Amino acid sequence: MSITLVAAISKNLCIGKDNDLPWDIPEDMEHMRAATLGKVLIMGRKTWESIPEHRRPLPKRTNVVITRNKNYELPKGAERFDSIDEAVEAHKDEEIVGFGGQRIFEEMIKIADELDLTLVDQEIEECHAFFPAIDPAIWRESDRDDRDGFSFVKYTRK
Ligand SMILES: NC(=O)c1ccc[n+]([C@@H]2O[C@H](COP(=O)([O-])OP(=O)(O)OC[C@H]3O[C@@H](n4cnc5c(N)ncnc54)[C@H](OP(=O)(O)O)[C@@H]3O)[C@@H](O)[C@H]2O)c1
C-alpha cells in the first residue's frame, strides 16, 4: 500500500473557498488527473459534492466518499465509507490518494508516505478549508518544478 496526498494549496495553506477551488489553473487540473489515474481516491462528502455532477465519479479511478450519513446515495462506480480507516483497510493493497478536503487531509497526513502538492503563489482571503501545516521535521522536499504562478512540489516522509 502507498498513500499520497494530492492537493493544491495557497501560501496561507488555503485549499477551498465556498466549496470550490479558489483558483482556475488548467495545468493543475491536468497534474491532478495524471497524479490520480488508476488510484483509489479518498475524499470527504463535500469534496465529492464540489465535483460537477456530470464529471463524477471521476473516471478511471476508484472514487471513495467518506460520510457519516449511511443513507447517502452515490451513483454506480463510487463507494461510501463511514471512516477513513475502513476505506484504507478495504483498499490496503492498492495505491491510495488522499483527495481532500480539510478533515481528510488533516487525518491522512498522519499516515501518508508522500505529498504531491501544487503550491499556488497566492494568498486567499476568506478561505473556508485549509491544508495542515507541513512539518519540516517530518517532510523533506524531494522534487520541485517551478511554473509561472505556482510550483509542483513533492514531499517524502523523512
Ligand atoms: N485545493 C485542493 O487540492 C482541494 C482538494 C479537495 C477539496 N478542496 C476543496 O475543499 C473544500 C471541501 O473540503 P471540506 O474540508 O469543506 O470538506 P470535506 O473534507 O471534503 O468533507 C467534509 C465531510 O466529509 C465527511 N468526513 C470527513 N472526514 C470524515 C471522517 N473522518 N469521518 C467521517 N466523515 C468524514 C463528513 O461528511 P458528512 O457531513 O456527510 O458526515 C464531513 O462533513 C471545497 O472548497 C473543495 O473545493 C480542495
Side-chain angles (χ1 to χ4, degrees):
M1 171 172 55
S2 71
I3 300 181
T4 303
L5 305 191
V6 175
I9 69 181
S10 73
K11 289 205 274 195
N12 57 325
L13 302 182
C14 184
I15 58 165
K17 186 170 173 172
D18 301 327
N19 219 32
D20 202 353
L21 295 174
W23 42 73
D24 181 13
I25 305 176
E27 291 128 297
D28 174 52
M29 297 309 282
E30 187 44 46
H31 177 86
M32 179 275 285
R33 186 172 177 279
T36 57
L37 276 179
K39 300 183 181 168
V40 177
L41 311 188
I42 297 184
M43 69 188 92
R45 191 253 311 160
K46 291 183 186 170
T47 294
W48 165 261
E49 289 175 356
S50 77
I51 302 169
E53 216 167 328
H54 64 282
R55 290 186 188 241
R56 64 193 201 211
L58 293 172
K60 298 180 185 163
R61 286 152 277 192
T62 303
N63 289 227
V64 173
V65 180
I66 309 294
T67 171
R68 292 196 169 85
N69 179 357
K70 293 191 190 308
N71 300 318
Y72 194 73
E73 291 203 14
L74 288 167
K76 202 164 173 280
E79 303 173 2
R80 191 196 74 78
F81 281 91
D82 294 330
S83 73
I84 294 166
D85 286 353
E86 287 168 271
V88 168
E89 175 62 24
H91 291 283
K92 61 178 181 232
D93 298 325
E94 295 166 82
E95 286 185 88
I96 294 174
V97 168
F99 199 60
Q102 179 170 322
R103 298 251 317 273
I104 300 297
F105 287 142
E106 279 168 359
E107 292 195 29
M108 289 189 74
I109 199 167
K110 298 172 195 162
I111 53 171
D113 309 294
E114 191 175 62
L115 312 177
D116 186 346
L117 304 181
T118 304
L119 303 184
V120 180
D121 194 14
Q122 293 180 28
E123 294 273 352
I124 304 298
E125 287 176 15
E126 293 175 40
C127 176
H128 295 141
F130 291 89
F131 197 81
I134 300 161
D135 183 348
I138 297 174
W139 299 100
R140 82 178 160 82
E141 188 180 304
S142 54
D143 193 54
R144 173 177 280 266
D145 177 3
D146 291 324
R147 304 288 180 96
D148 186 16
F150 59 94
S151 301
F152 295 123
V153 180
K154 286 197 173 101
Y155 293 88
T156 309
R157 193 175 277 281
K158 277 183 172 172

